[in-house]
Amino acid sequence: MVQGITRSERELLDAQALVGELVPEGSVFAFLAEHRAELFPDEFIADLFPSATGRPSLPADLVGSVLVLKELYDLSDPQTAEALRFDIRWKVACGRSLSQTSFDPSTLVYWRKRIARSDRPDRVFDAVARVIADTGVLTGRRKRCVDSTVFDDAVATQDTVTQLVAAMRKAARLVPGAAAVIARVAKLDYAKPGKPDIDWDDPAAKQELVSVLVCDALAVLAELTGPDAPQREATAADALGLLALVAGQDVEPADGSDGTDGRWRIARKVAHDRVISTVDTEARHTRKSKSNRKDGFRGHVATEPETGLITDTELTRAAGEEGSDAVVGEQMIARDSYHGTGADDAGPDAAPPTADTPPAADTPGGTDDGATQPDPARSRHTGEDSSSSSWVGAVVDGVAAGTAENGRRSGLEVYGDSAYGTGEARAKYRDGGHDTVIKPKPLCPAVPGGFTLDDFTIDGQARTVTCPGGHTRVMSPKRSVTFGKLCAGCPLRDQCTTAADGRSMSIHEHQALLRAARAQARTPEFERDYPTRSSVERIIAWVATQRGRRVKLRYLGVTKNHAWLRNRAAAINLRTLVNAGLTHRDGAWALT
């Protein structure tokens, strides 16, 4: 297949020429009708067609426009193909004639796969990002707000019995010879559709079924795995691994059994990092609160609060440390492409701060184990005109906030809730040259109204902790401290601890940074600045809802859904720019 090219001459029934006035001015449809070729030139997909022979594909401007509109309006593949065929707005935006039909919905599957396998899987997001960079709308804008939301997955959450049965059937389909082994060693007939036929109101019958299912799975695994098992392809190995996982994650030996007698029961706990479906093995349980459990994936977003533009996104599993808010938030800020930091911006002789380089003297808290008292938090704004009623006007007027007095650009100013304020995350922000306006987690005193950790004096250099009563103890190698007998006759004991063996505590590796953050949160500057963070909630709502309903993911796995989130963010950014007057004149993008 060869790359398709859009012809410069219009067709007889060109939609834009005949009914273009029906498309509202200032809409994304009208913008694409006029500028889709500049936004998605032939180079947009040229790398996907190394051959110069074959049947022409769809042209680049049509592919890019369809991908943007599809995600902007959260349409399925069939709905997208239908819109391109019948919706006049889509025909005008994509340069179609009134009589042209659409393509088959499977064409969109083809394009997603082809783009995903390429060296530029984020090309739609990157195309809009280049427009943002060219306009200069984010130049000098230091503020970034980070937040996340949970997206419902595209599959149903499965119970333990359903997962065991499904995993056995999957092994039978994908592992060579597994169907014969299952038929020979298993007690249940897994070729029969549906759940096993038992009395589901009888607890004893359900426990017996669980025992049979687990024993069948273990028997099949014993036959198909082991040191003498043949080398298997990835899909077959994954199917056996999934069977082993679901056979162990939700069950435990029955009372009075060690499992060797074949008696099992559903465990009275939730397995760590539990697989909730054999259809999408990357979907996970999580909680928005103690009473609100969610299943699916977590979408992370970084935004610039005054413009409403999304600067970065990431989609991860809903549970797990690698997908936590603190970890992903720091990653998004570190790779921010709109505001350079480090040696390149500071000059040839400057070096970016590292974990081994102490922060500047005016950094709250100094080094992590340094001063015993935190420095008061300071206001970190450097002249950004946040009171302007028009952020477009601010760019036109040449506002360049975030530049230090020596002419060097400073880092970013990160706004987030307490989930983003772990000690590790704050240390990375500090080392990256970034300032933080992140809400700290409150300290809970051991005695209501009593002393908290901030009432103790911590000397990181001497590795000692002094309590409010004046007693000093040395930290252990694992940074724990026990006052023990010193608490027995202390007159302040009732305000400090209820433990019989005295007050004990663990000192965080980044305790100085955490203490400085709590001190910062008590300043008038923090109370003034922190509400800026709330703007990201509006942008999260743009991403996660459509016409008042919650968006539900359409794809399986992290990779495919991450690609969807990037395209969705690109479409929303384009709409934001169009609403601000984006145009293309004299070969350059500009905001009118």
Side-chain angles (χ1 to χ4, degrees), residues 356-371:
D356 298 324
T357 304
D362 60 352
T363 301
T367 57
D368 288 345
D369 290 331

Side-chain angles (χ1 to χ4, degrees), residues 382-427:
T382 54
E384 185 165 355
D385 185 10
S386 59
S387 62
S388 173
S389 60
S390 171
W391 56 269
V392 178
V395 174
V396 175
D397 293 339
V399 173
T403 303
E405 292 181 357
N406 59 7
R408 298 174 180 176
R409 295 177 68 187
S410 57
L412 296 172
E413 190 172 273
V414 185
Y415 294 75
D417 59 28
S418 58
Y420 294 89
T422 64
E424 291 78 7
R426 291 181 185 275

Side-chain angles (χ1 to χ4, degrees), residues 99-127:
S99 60
Q100 272 183 302
T101 60
S102 183
F103 43 70
D104 189 271
S106 62
T107 302
L108 291 169
V109 180
Y110 165 82
W111 279 104
R112 283 196 298 271
K113 289 183 176 180
R114 192 151 192 166
I115 291 174
R117 290 194 300 264
S118 72
D119 294 333
R120 296 189 292 129
D122 293 335
R123 63 187 63 208
V124 177
F125 185 88
D126 293 341

Side-chain angles (χ1 to χ4, degrees), residues 14 62 91 94 99 117 141 205 243 271 298-299 319 325 387 424 470 499 507 531 535 571:
D14 181 75
L62 174 60
K91 287 182 176 292
C94 298
S99 60
R117 290 194 300 264
R141 294 185 178 271
L243 178 59
R298 186 174 295 276
D325 288 342
S387 62
E424 291 78 7
I507 306 302
S535 65

Side-chain angles (χ1 to χ4, degrees), residues 10 30 41 88 100 135 202 212 278 430 465 471 502 539 546 586:
R10 293 183 175 182
I88 289 177
Q100 272 183 302
T135 63
D202 183 0
V212 172
T278 58
R430 178 204 62 193
V465 178
H471 305 295
I539 300 169
Q546 184 71 31
D586 300 327

Side-chain angles (χ1 to χ4, degrees), residues 209-221:
L209 174 61
V210 170
S211 296
V212 172
L213 288 170
V214 174
C215 290
D216 283 353
L218 296 178
V220 170
L221 290 169

